[in-house]
Amino acid sequence: MDKIRRWVQEGGTLITLKNASEWAIKQGIVKEKLLIPANGGWADTTATRAASTAPASEGKKTKETASASTPGSRRTDFVNQEHEGTRAIAGSIYRTDVDLTNPIAFGLTDRRLYVFRNGTTFLRPSRNPYATVAQYTATPLVSGYVSKANLKQISNSAAIVVSKVGAGRVVLFADDPNFRHYWHGTARLFTNALLLGPLLNLPEGPATISAEEE
């Protein structure tokens, strides 16, 4: 972890897809945020790394508390598993709005970008107004099935975020732009991130804080 963090800070470009983006956030490599189910609402996950490095006494207390309240610890009849499939995002198409002026969008001519999604990584738009390269629209579903709960979380969430880390940067994709090499419209974004990373030197910009974060 220290080697990766140092490499990025010295000017490297780290590109993460889906749950790898979650990993980068939970490890504290970037200061971006995830959305996760918690108490019927949504919570920030950036405290995960801090909890994992807490003193042993604190860590023990955290584990005991978590095990007592974890929904997965209850018994459920086998027949009820049929409902689990409705909570998955198994493959559907969504509309996003992409910043055409960002190097990652080089070559695109329309702000409307259709993406294929088959995962439950939900990225919160960055507090840096220049850092959210692509964002799901308020009514993003174009084709396929998605539960109402998942659609609510996808709406207005971030599809691509660039996070500045020292002299380098991390490009976080909520989805896999190269999925099975047939969704070519987003494969270009990955190529741009790979080749044009050094151009992604973001200004800090004024931080915008939502009422929820306050």
Side-chain angles (χ1 to χ4, degrees):
M1 281 305 309
D2 289 338
K3 290 181 179 179
I4 293 175
R5 190 175 290 107
R6 189 183 313 116
W7 176 78
V8 175
Q9 290 176 341
E10 292 176 353
T13 300
L14 178 64
I15 303 172
T16 59
L17 314 180
K18 298 179 67 174
N19 59 350
S21 296
E22 297 184 33
W23 171 84
I25 292 173
K26 291 177 181 179
Q27 293 298 323
I29 296 177
V30 296
K31 296 181 180 179
E32 304 302 333
K33 296 182 178 181
L34 288 170
L35 298 176
I36 60 170
N39 302 320
W42 295 92
D44 180 16
T45 63
T46 50
T48 304
R49 181 170 178 267
S52 66
T53 57
S57 58
E58 294 182 15
K60 182 178 181 180
K61 181 178 180 181
T62 301
K63 290 180 180 178
E64 290 175 352
T65 303
S67 62
S69 60
T70 301
S73 62
R74 61 181 174 79
R75 292 184 64 205
T76 304
D77 289 342
F78 182 82
V79 69
N80 293 326
Q81 68 172 317
E82 63 185 72
H83 302 295
E84 296 298 325
T86 63
R87 301 174 185 173
I89 301 178
S92 37
I93 303 168
Y94 301 86
R95 182 186 298 107
T96 67
D97 176 75
V98 62
D99 175 11
L100 295 178
T101 67
N102 192 287
I104 290 179
F106 177 74
L108 298 180
T109 58
D110 192 335
R111 289 188 68 100
R112 291 174 300 177
L113 178 67
Y114 297 94
V115 303
F116 179 86
R117 182 182 181 96
N118 67 340
T120 54
T121 296
F122 304 112
L123 298 178
R124 182 174 294 182
S126 178
R127 293 177 62 183
N128 184 330
Y130 305 107
T132 304
V133 181
Q135 183 171 354
Y136 287 95
T137 62
T139 54
L141 182 63
V142 175
S143 179
Y145 168 80
V146 64
S147 68
K148 290 183 179 179
N150 281 333
L151 181 58
K152 181 179 179 181
Q153 307 312 323
I154 293 172
S155 301
N156 296 312
S157 67
I160 307 171
V161 172
V162 178
S163 189
K164 184 177 181 181
V165 181
R169 75 292 302 164
V170 179
V171 183
L172 304 112
F173 285 84
D175 315 302
D176 182 357
N178 303 315
F179 183 72
R180 293 184 180 173
H181 196 58
Y182 74 79
W183 203 256
H184 299 292
T186 51
R188 173 194 298 270
L189 304 179
F190 178 83
T191 302
N192 287 342
L194 191 65
L195 300 179
L196 305 178
L199 300 179
L200 300 173
N201 294 319
L202 297 170
E204 293 296 338
T208 54
I209 304 175
S210 66
E212 178 185 351
E213 290 178 312
E214 291 177 344

